[in-house]
Amino acid sequence: MSFLFSTRSKTFRPKKNIPEGTHQYDLMKHAERTLGSGNLRQAVALPEGEELNEWVAVNTVDFFNQINMLYGTITEFCTADKCPVMSAGPKYEYHWADGQTVKKPIKCSAPRYIDFLMSWVQDQVDDEALFPSKIGVPFPKNFLTIAKTILKRLFRVYAHIYHQHFQEVVGLKEEAHLNTSFKHFIFFVQEFNLIDRKELAPLQELIERLLGK
Ligand code: ZN
């Protein structure tokens, strides 16, 4: 998305680029234009004639890039000393397992957890068998299940930032940017029912406020 970032922000890993001239690039541009209209319900809706998997893929990559950027602005505050466990407030703690290479959950610091998480997401979105970028190459049958797992995990980074680092985000004057990104994310996952309600519990109050309930 065409957000402006402060010079302090740094990407903490290379982001995935959707190449210009591809259909997915056009879809991403469509998303940017409709977002600019300010009507989020409309902005997240599946554009007419488009394939759901491709729309979810383009947006998932975009959220990954946004979260990468947002977390990149606060990495200096998110240290093993300050965040010895990956948490989202006092009631929620996460231990890392990807279910594939790491089956036994690892209890680790938030920066280590987020590093595991973002590296894992990067591997998924870079895998052409899961996220095909070439025209005519079909998405795998279980694509939505894969996308749901990615989005469920990405949500935890927002939850950690909001619960543990919001004051620092405010100090960097990034809170409007964080809220815009998160609100877009929530509208998107709700439109297509991509994250279970119980997974969203750590930010339930914020979600209700952002949705104006
Ligand atoms: Zn932290």
Side-chain angles (χ1 to χ4, degrees):
M1 297 287 89
S2 51
F3 291 114
L4 291 172
F5 297 101
S6 74
T7 48
R8 270 179 301 236
S9 67
K10 53 186 190 294
T11 29
F12 104 115
R13 67 183 65 253
K15 61 183 236 170
K16 169 158 171 144
N17 286 309
I18 295 176
E20 213 169 323
T22 61
H23 181 62
Q24 290 183 14
Y25 185 84
D26 295 340
L27 271 180
M28 193 181 70
K29 288 284 148 192
H30 169 87
E32 281 181 22
R33 275 195 308 277
T34 49
L35 261 183
S37 75
N39 182 340
L40 274 176
R41 283 271 171 250
Q42 198 189 326
V44 298
L46 179 67
E48 218 181 306
E50 297 298 342
E51 194 205 330
L52 178 63
N53 283 345
E54 193 156 49
W55 182 239
V56 171
V58 165
N59 281 279
T60 299
V61 167
D62 189 42
F63 289 125
F64 167 62
N65 287 336
Q66 288 184 35
I67 293 166
N68 207 5
M69 201 79 86
L70 285 163
Y71 183 69
T73 65
I74 53 115
T75 45
E76 61 183 297
F77 308 111
C78 189
T79 61
D81 277 348
K82 280 193 194 156
C83 303
V85 292
M86 175 63 177
S87 59
K91 284 198 299 199
Y92 300 93
E93 187 176 314
Y94 302 104
H95 299 171
W96 176 255
D98 64 13
Q100 290 150 341
T101 57
V102 184
K103 291 196 173 135
K104 188 167 173 264
I106 302 169
K107 187 175 176 176
C108 59
S109 70
R112 186 141 180 260
Y113 183 102
I114 293 172
D115 191 35
F116 278 132
L117 190 161
M118 297 301 268
S119 303
W120 176 83
V121 175
Q122 179 120 40
D123 288 346
Q124 309 300 300
V125 300
D126 283 344
D127 186 342
E128 278 288 319
L130 303 182
F131 278 71
S133 61
K134 298 189 179 61
I135 290 172
V137 179
F139 282 83
K141 283 198 173 63
N142 61 340
F143 177 75
L144 281 181
T145 307
I146 295 162
K148 282 179 182 175
T149 306
I150 293 173
L151 293 163
K152 174 180 86 179
R153 290 179 178 164
L154 286 175
F155 167 81
R156 296 171 184 171
V157 185
Y158 281 118
H160 180 73
I161 295 174
Y162 270 111
H163 277 284
Q164 316 302 137
H165 298 290
F166 192 68
Q167 281 318 309
E168 289 137 353
V169 170
V170 170
L172 293 166
K173 298 192 167 37
E174 294 275 356
E175 80 266 31
H177 175 199
L178 173 65
N179 288 337
T180 305
S181 173
F182 182 63
K183 195 172 173 180
H184 180 203
F185 179 87
I186 287 301
F187 270 75
F188 190 82
V189 299
Q190 291 199 334
E191 175 78 10
F192 304 106
N193 221 347
L194 297 168
I195 303 184
D196 283 348
R197 203 183 143 80
K198 68 175 195 313
E199 290 287 338
L200 301 175
L203 292 178
Q204 198 50 49
E205 277 174 36
L206 172 70
I207 292 167
E208 282 167 18
R209 208 160 69 228
L210 288 174
L211 299 186
K213 279 181 189 159

